[in-house]
Amino acid sequence: MVTCGVCGETGNPGGIFCRNCGAELPRRGVGVPDAQTTVLPKVAGAGGEPPDAAAQRTAHLPPPPDAGWQQPYPPAGEQQVAGYPAGEQPTEQQLPAYLQPRTTQAGYQGPLAGYPDEPPPLPLPVRDGPPGRPNNRGVILATVIGGVLALVLIAFGLAIFLLSQGNSTHKTAQPPIVASSSAATTAPASSTPATSPSPTTSPTPADATLKAAQLTALKQLAGLVSQSGTARSGIQTALDQIGSCKSINQAIGTLTQAADTRNGLSGSVSKLNLAAIPTAPQLVASFQQSMQESAAADTGYANWGRQVSRSCKKTAPHTSAWRDAQVHDGRATAAKTTFANQYNAVARALGQPGITPAQF
């Protein structure tokens, strides 16, 4: 049994506080039996209460319990508080501190500045990019894609425009349609000489005879051109032999024979009957000049071979004979070009194939 040292109440087995006055009961020491309990003396005072009973009531009360600790006494007004006469309840000032209702601290003005009543919202996630600038990666990507598409469309439109312009150019560049022979006959008679035959009229026997004579004369010229071409075929081989100091005597023989052939062709052209061709004198003169210059060039190359035949080892040097042959060769090429142009004019009029200077 434990006796309260404040009010002397006994019969608080296992209690911590007095059930009469609420004062803390003395505790037994560890290992001390119940018979050896310390009983505090009871001090008499006025009215039979110890002196400073009210102070002692609050002085021996325990501190406010922690959160979750159940109060040993119910709040005021719900149950009779022990130690007070029936029907009487202690005031809030007489209640223990842990039984008094909580009040707002004097001078409380609400939450401190900078600490809102509600927690601030969570910050938004920081996007990649330079500090202080918004991330416009999506906008930039969309702009780049749009620019590329615009360039592709522009290039496509430009290509279509150029193709259309090219087609129109080709259409305008087409030669005009030549009027047919029947339309030409409807032209006024004053536009053509009276002596010229009409295109629709059939050729006279004289015209046919003239054309046959022109074809014969042209074929004779073509025969001479062919003979000159045969002589020319071995000239390049002979020049290569002399230049590499190989078979020089054989090359000299080839060049000499070509010169003789061309000199003979120069005399043969004057014996042809070319009177049916209006430009026969020009044809004969240009052909003779081309054959004479070619013969002189062949003779000069042959002389070049004779000059280097004794001292030539690997490559033949260019002597005075070679330089003289080069001069005649250039003149022969010019004369052949003139003759080919004259010959081709007649051949086109007669419907025959033309020739080139390299053929003879």
Side-chain angles (χ1 to χ4, degrees), residues 32-204:
V32 179
D34 293 342
Q36 298 180 0
T37 349
T38 304
V39 180
L40 296 177
K42 202 173 183 181
V43 181
E49 285 187 341
D52 301 330
Q56 289 181 7
R57 288 194 199 101
T58 58
H60 293 281
L61 292 178
D66 296 332
W69 185 80
Q70 297 182 357
Q71 298 179 359
Y73 299 100
E78 296 183 4
Q79 187 177 353
Q80 178 68 33
V81 179
Y84 289 87
E88 295 184 6
Q89 294 292 337
T91 60
E92 292 182 359
Q93 288 79 7
Q94 295 175 344
L95 290 175
Y98 66 91
L99 294 179
Q100 296 182 4
R102 296 184 179 180
T103 57
T104 305
Q105 185 178 359
Y108 178 74
Q109 301 296 331
L112 297 178
Y115 292 89
D117 293 339
E118 297 181 359
L122 296 176
L124 296 176
V126 180
R127 306 175 69 182
D128 298 336
R133 297 179 59 185
N135 186 2
N136 296 329
R137 181 179 302 172
V139 177
I140 294 175
L141 182 60
T143 304
V144 171
I145 294 176
V148 172
L149 292 177
L151 291 177
V152 171
L153 292 176
I154 292 174
F156 184 72
L158 182 61
I160 294 178
F161 175 76
L162 293 178
L163 289 176
S164 63
Q165 291 296 321
N167 293 335
S168 62
T169 302
H170 291 308
K171 291 180 180 179
T172 56
Q174 293 180 356
I177 300 176
V178 181
S180 61
S181 60
S182 60
T185 58
T186 59
S190 58
S191 60
T192 57
T195 57
S196 62
S198 175
T200 57
T201 59
S202 58
T204 61

